[in-house]
């Protein structure tokens, strides 16, 4: 009987372990919607939730649902929707996927961004193929089924480099509850909660708690109405996250609990903080990880408390830096900071690593041009005063001719005055144009992109257009464009036709004088780096030889050696003059800053020379044992040959 009891006990124990393993393998879904107004920070909220889960021992992934009809964000204006974030696979997606990648150290794919355009396109393709077997294709069930299938399929894709499927999938629904365009996605989620089981589905609702009047009373009515809208479509929030300028009071949270059918412990406060890295800490202090562990039945695979020691150190260190570094961003979309969100984040990550408090100074590129000087001299002087006073300059990417002359003037100023400057994508192309004009003496040379835009302006007669085209061809034979259209790119179609995604760049580690290049030092001796691209134009390869003779070094090229990727000036000529055709900001992380941006911050704060010396000594220390081992092997081979 003892043996039987022991056997039974062991069997029960193994059965429990199997059940636990089976439960762990079942995908868990945490969905976040928002109400009242957009822009409450759902992306930061869901990223913070992911950080809590990740620090509790779970693998996470993330999906963003955007209810617009565009196939992707590639053709959308930065003024309309903020920056276009580029993924490794070339996907042009919503900027929230950048938040996910930065916060959670993930590598997502274009399928992690679901849009109405993508879903309807897939449904129509299926209908054309006859997949629906003659049925009437409808929003319910065919579109809603496609959404659910998409979420389940993408949720299983490994995204953390481990080749293991995630444990939890975070899903953010863009927009606000009640929008017509998001209704089909909410209906899909209503069905999805029963498809996967309520124990595998947790719904969070992010809402605004405004403060009105001189007494500072916190109002709950907007949240009540938002939850009412959500419940009207068959969804009830498991957790309500209240956004407010100050900490939401207990009495306010209790009132929301009563009217929104949610326990008081499940109504959380996320107030404004000094930096976004505090948000996971705030949520952990209110036991959100415990609520999720209990609701999703994750006891067997999730630690009781998240390990946030290093994250807390990051969040607090940002607030205590006293020495400042001022960086100017000279662009054309400066009216909306989200247009350059990844650039801002990359500068922030670099300043954290450089132990400096970052101050961003926005400069509209067109304000630096001669036309502004003639029309509004005060604005022109103010713009140039900023350029003179900052410690460093970033000229980011962009499209179109507006503000380009101002960027060229900025590069010229920085080159002549020795002010640290980083050019990204168009910024690097502008560096090349400026060098052609003011060093090689190619007056008026520009990019084929801007020349084409100039040709399109105004209504001209056919004969006049032909004459001008002929004249332009003659001029181009004498003086080619500094930047040209890439031959493989489709000039007629805009969406998804650029050179996109992660591609290798071969870095020249030493120049002809055997001197270490700045690029080689910043990338710590890596001969090949993978960075993300988004461009249609490239440096004219016919001009590279002349530019290099004039001192502009192309130290990064693609695999063919004909496409220029990195440009720099010798550090004996300029402390930091560095440009990249790719977008290094897209792979910057809070604890792993992008090398070009880190280099800029170090140069702007006077730390670059010492950093490069330290890195050089470190590499020598690492290389010496390897060289000694090689020498020993060579000596052994020589001895063996002599013995033979």
């Amino acid at each position: 009987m003892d043996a039987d009891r022991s056997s039974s006990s062991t069997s029960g124990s193994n059965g429990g372990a199997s059940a636990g393993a089976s439960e762990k393998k079942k995908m868990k879904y945490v969905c976040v919607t928002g109400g009242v107004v957009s822009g409450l920070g759902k992306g930061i909220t869901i990223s913070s939730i992911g950080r809590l889960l990740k620090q509790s021992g779970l693998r996470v992934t993330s999906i963003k649902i955007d209810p617009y009809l565009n196939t992707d964000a590639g053709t959308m204006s930065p003024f309309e929707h903020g920056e276009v974030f580029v993924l490794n696979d070339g996907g042009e997606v919503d900027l929230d996927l950048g938040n996910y990648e930065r916060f959670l150290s993930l590598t997502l794919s274009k399928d992690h961004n679901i849009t109405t355009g993508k879903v309807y396109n897939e449904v129509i393709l299926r209908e054309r193929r006859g997949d629906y077997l003659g049925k009437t294709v409808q929003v319910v069930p065919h579109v809603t089924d496609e959404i659910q299938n998409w979420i389940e399929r993408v949720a299983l894709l490994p995204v953390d480099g481990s080749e293991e499927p995630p444990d939890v999938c975070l899903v953010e629904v863009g927009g606000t509850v009640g929008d017509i365009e998001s209704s089909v996605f909410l209906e899909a989620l209503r069905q999805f909660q029963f498809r996967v089981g309520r124990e595998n589905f947790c719904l969070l609702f992010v809402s605004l708690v405004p403060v009105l009047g001189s007494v500072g009373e916190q109002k709950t009515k907007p949240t009540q109405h938002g939850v009412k809208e959500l419940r009207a479509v068959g969804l009830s929030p498991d957790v309500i996250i209240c956004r407010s300028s100050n900490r939401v009071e207990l009495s306010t949270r209790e009132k929301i609990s009563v009217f929104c059918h949610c326990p008081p412990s499940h109504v959380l406060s996320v107030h404004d903080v000094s930096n976004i890295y505090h948000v996971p800490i705030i949520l952990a202090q209110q036991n959100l990880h415990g609520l999720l562990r209990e609701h999703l039945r994750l006891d067997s695979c999730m630690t009781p408390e998240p390990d946030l020691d290093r994250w807390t150190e990051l969040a607090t260190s940002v607030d205590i830096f006293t020495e400042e570094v001022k960086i100017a961003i000279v662009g054309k979309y400066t009216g909306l900071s989200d247009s350059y969100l990844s650039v801002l984040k990359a500068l922030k990550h670099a300043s954290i690593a450089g132990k400096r408090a970052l101050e961003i100074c926005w400069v509209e590129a067109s304000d630096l041009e001669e036309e502004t000087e003639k029309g509004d001299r005060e604005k022109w002087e103010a713009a140039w005063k900023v350029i003179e006073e900052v410690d460093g300059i970033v000229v980011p990417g962009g499209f179109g001719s507006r503000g380009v002359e101002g960027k060229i003037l900025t590069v010229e100023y920085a080159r002549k005055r020795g002010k640290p400057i980083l050019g990204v994508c168009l910024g690097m192309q502008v560096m090349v144009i400026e060098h052609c004009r003011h060093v090689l003496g190619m007056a008026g040379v520009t990019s084929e992109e801007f020349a084409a835009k100039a040709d399109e302006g105004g209504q001209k007669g056919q004969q006049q257009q032909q004459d001008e085209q002929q004249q332009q061809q003659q001029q181009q034979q004498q003086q080619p464009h500094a930047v040209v259209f890439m031959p493989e790119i489709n000039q007629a179609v805009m969406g998804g036709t650029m050179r996109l995604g992660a591609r290798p760049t071969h870095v020249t580690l030493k120049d002809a004088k055997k001197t270490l290049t700045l690029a080689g030092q910043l990338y710590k001796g890596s001969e090949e780096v993978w960075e993300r691209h988004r461009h249609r134009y490239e440096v004219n390869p016919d001009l590279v030889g002349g530019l290099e003779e004039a001192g502009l070094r192309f130290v990064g090229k693609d695999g063919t050696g004909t496409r220029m990727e990195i440009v720099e000036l010798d550090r004996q000529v300029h402390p930091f003059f560095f440009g990249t055709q790719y977008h290094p900001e897209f792979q910057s992380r809070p604890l792993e800053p992008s090398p070009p941006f880190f280099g800029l911050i170090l140069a702007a704060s006077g730390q670059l020379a010492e950093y490069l010396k330290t890195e050089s000594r470190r590499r020598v220390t690492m290389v010496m044992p390897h060289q000694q081992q090689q020498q020993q092997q060579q000596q052994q081979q020589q001895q063996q040959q002599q013995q033979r």
Side-chain angles (χ1 to χ4, degrees):
M1 288 185 62
D2 290 340
D4 290 342
R5 188 179 299 114
S6 174
S7 174
S8 174
S9 173
T10 305
S11 174
S13 161
N14 291 339
S18 298
S22 175
E23 186 175 344
K24 182 178 179 180
K25 289 179 182 178
K26 185 167 282 190
M27 180 62 66
K28 308 293 183 177
Y29 297 90
V30 176
C31 298
V32 175
T33 64
V36 186
V37 293
S38 60
L40 287 176
K42 294 192 297 297
I44 296 299
T45 301
I46 202 168
S47 299
S48 300
I49 294 169
R51 175 52 62 177
L52 285 183
L53 296 174
K54 194 167 184 178
Q55 298 308 118
S56 299
L58 299 176
R59 290 192 176 92
V60 300
T61 185
S62 197
I63 295 174
K64 173 67 187 298
I65 294 175
D66 283 305
Y68 44 68
L69 278 169
N70 304 61
T71 300
D72 58 33
T75 58
M76 299 177 75
S77 166
F79 286 124
E80 181 83 16
H81 207 67
E83 78 168 1
V84 176
F85 190 79
V86 178
L87 302 171
N88 267 5
D89 65 357
E92 297 173 285
V93 297
D94 184 81
L95 56 82
D96 276 320
L97 274 81
N99 286 327
Y100 307 157
E101 286 203 341
R102 284 187 288 267
F103 249 72
L104 305 176
S105 298
L106 304 178
T107 302
L108 302 175
S109 71
K110 57 188 175 185
D111 286 342
H112 287 85
N113 191 194
I114 304 175
T115 69
T116 304
K118 285 182 180 179
V119 172
Y120 273 83
N121 183 58
E122 188 63 30
V123 170
I124 291 169
L125 288 174
R126 288 181 183 277
E127 186 273 331
R128 292 290 85 188
R129 288 196 305 263
D131 293 357
Y132 298 118
L133 301 175
K135 290 184 178 293
T136 302
V137 181
Q138 298 175 296
V139 173
V140 180
H142 301 103
V143 174
T144 53
D145 280 352
E146 181 61 37
I147 295 168
Q148 295 175 74
N149 294 338
W150 195 307
I151 292 173
E152 282 193 311
R153 173 175 57 83
V154 174
L156 295 171
L157 298 177
V159 292
D160 61 357
S162 68
E163 300 302 321
E164 294 288 334
D167 302 307
V168 180
C169 178
L170 310 167
V171 182
E172 178 189 351
V173 183
T176 58
V177 173
D179 293 343
I180 294 174
E181 52 266 26
S182 64
S183 59
V184 65
F185 293 103
L186 295 177
E187 170 58 24
L189 290 179
R190 184 194 68 79
Q191 299 174 27
F192 193 65
Q193 64 184 332
F194 302 113
R195 178 170 174 168
V196 300
R198 286 291 292 139
E199 70 279 5
N200 300 314
F201 181 92
C202 184
L203 181 65
L204 285 78
F205 182 71
V206 180
S207 183
L208 176 67
V209 177
V211 178
L212 302 178
S214 57
V215 295
E217 182 183 1
Q218 295 177 336
K219 294 295 184 180
T220 66
K221 196 65 71 176
T223 301
Q224 293 179 43
H225 279 284
V227 173
K228 181 181 177 182
E229 289 276 357
L230 191 62
R231 295 180 70 185
V233 298
L235 291 166
S236 186
D238 300 298
V239 178
I240 298 174
I241 294 180
C242 303
R243 285 283 294 111
S244 188
S245 54
N246 298 310
R247 189 184 302 273
V248 179
E249 299 168 0
L250 177 60
S251 58
T252 304
R253 299 193 334 253
E254 288 176 341
K255 186 175 181 181
I256 290 172
S257 168
V258 170
F259 286 98
C260 297
H261 196 64
C262 197
S265 60
H266 291 220
V267 181
L268 311 183
S269 168
V270 177
H271 52 276
D272 293 347
V273 287
S274 56
N275 67 72
I276 60 174
Y277 308 117
H278 284 289
V279 179
I281 302 168
I282 291 174
L283 294 174
Q285 290 170 348
Q286 297 174 81
N287 194 39
L288 177 58
H289 55 286
L291 300 179
L292 294 174
R293 185 175 61 249
E294 180 182 357
H295 182 91
L296 297 173
R297 302 179 186 177
L298 291 166
D299 299 300
S300 62
C301 56
M302 184 175 170
T303 60
E305 294 295 329
D307 180 9
L308 291 174
D309 291 346
R310 195 177 179 198
W311 193 265
T312 302
E313 183 182 344
L314 167 68
T316 53
S317 66
V318 176
D319 299 329
I320 61 175
F321 297 140
T322 54
E323 294 184 72
E324 274 193 351
V325 58
K326 289 184 178 181
I327 303 294
I329 297 179
V330 181
K332 61 181 290 187
Y333 312 117
T334 55
L336 180 65
S337 61
D338 274 359
S339 301
Y340 300 111
L341 184 62
S342 289
V343 171
L344 287 172
K345 297 300 181 185
L347 287 169
K348 190 66 176 178
H349 302 160
S351 66
I352 292 171
K355 302 187 186 316
R356 292 292 186 272
L358 176 66
E359 181 181 343
I360 296 294
C361 302
W362 296 98
V363 178
E364 183 67 32
S366 57
D367 291 349
L368 301 166
E369 297 175 353
E370 292 182 8
E371 288 186 12
T372 304
E373 181 185 11
K374 295 174 183 177
D376 191 340
R377 187 172 180 82
E378 187 176 344
K379 181 188 287 187
W380 178 83
E381 289 177 346
W384 276 108
K385 185 179 180 182
V386 172
I387 296 297
E388 292 168 1
E389 293 178 349
V390 295
D391 303 308
I393 301 169
V394 176
V395 181
F399 297 93
S401 58
R402 183 173 64 83
V404 166
E405 293 302 319
K407 293 178 181 180
I408 293 172
L409 290 169
T410 300
V411 171
E412 181 186 20
Y413 176 89
R415 180 178 59 82
K416 290 181 176 179
R417 300 295 181 92
K419 192 176 288 285
I421 184 169
L422 172 63
V424 176
C425 196
L426 175 61
M428 173 184 139
Q429 295 174 4
V430 164
M431 287 176 160
V432 172
I433 294 171
E434 189 277 331
H435 220 77
C436 285
R437 288 186 183 182
H438 302 129
V439 179
L440 294 183
M442 300 171 66
V445 72
T446 187
S447 166
E448 189 175 354
E449 176 185 8
F450 313 137
K453 290 287 187 294
D455 293 343
E456 292 169 4
Q459 297 294 325
K460 300 177 181 178
Q462 185 175 0
Q463 185 61 45
Q464 184 181 356
Q465 288 182 356
Q466 290 176 353
D467 292 343
E468 289 184 0
Q469 287 175 0
Q470 186 176 3
Q471 183 179 0
Q472 184 184 355
Q473 289 174 357
Q474 292 173 352
Q475 290 177 349
Q476 192 170 344
Q477 289 175 356
Q478 299 172 1
Q479 180 173 284
H481 294 305
V483 178
V484 296
F485 205 95
M486 290 187 290
E488 72 270 27
I489 302 300
N490 186 337
Q491 299 191 34
V493 179
M494 290 186 65
T497 59
M498 288 185 277
R499 184 169 181 251
L500 295 165
R503 296 168 185 268
T505 293
H506 297 274
V507 181
T508 302
L509 301 182
K510 293 183 178 180
D511 60 17
K513 300 177 183 178
K514 302 300 180 182
T515 305
L516 291 172
T517 64
L518 179 56
Q521 292 174 292
L522 292 177
Y523 281 102
K524 299 184 178 180
S526 297
E527 294 183 352
E528 183 181 85
V529 297
W530 285 76
E531 295 278 12
R532 299 178 185 179
H533 296 69
R534 186 175 186 250
H535 64 111
R536 290 189 179 90
Y537 297 85
E538 63 175 333
V539 174
N540 189 340
D542 295 336
L543 299 181
V544 169
L547 286 164
E548 289 194 315
E549 288 178 5
L552 194 64
R553 307 193 303 190
F554 293 94
V555 295
K557 301 177 182 179
D558 74 339
T560 67
T562 59
R563 185 157 284 158
M564 304 303 112
E565 296 280 8
I566 304 175
V567 66
E568 67 178 43
L569 288 177
D570 192 310
R571 290 200 66 244
Q572 294 181 347
V573 176
H574 194 285
F576 190 88
F577 188 94
F578 198 85
T580 65
Q581 181 59 74
Y582 51 79
H583 289 263
E585 68 270 23
F586 289 144
Q587 297 197 95
S588 181
R589 302 290 181 263
L591 300 173
E592 298 176 17
S594 164
F597 282 91
F598 188 39
L600 173 69
I601 292 294
L602 291 176
S605 56
Q607 303 179 79
L608 182 60
E610 183 59 33
Y611 170 80
L612 295 179
K613 285 181 184 177
T614 304
E615 278 300 308
S616 179
R617 287 195 295 267
R618 184 187 66 82
R619 280 197 299 276
V620 170
T621 305
M622 292 174 64
V623 169
M624 284 299 291
H626 179 64
Q627 289 179 339
Q628 290 173 356
Q629 185 179 3
Q630 285 182 328
Q631 289 175 357
Q632 289 175 357
Q633 290 175 349
Q634 290 173 356
Q635 289 174 356
Q636 289 175 357
Q637 289 174 356
Q638 289 174 357
Q639 290 174 358
Q640 290 173 357
Q641 288 176 355
Q642 289 174 357
Q643 290 174 357
R644 290 172 185 171

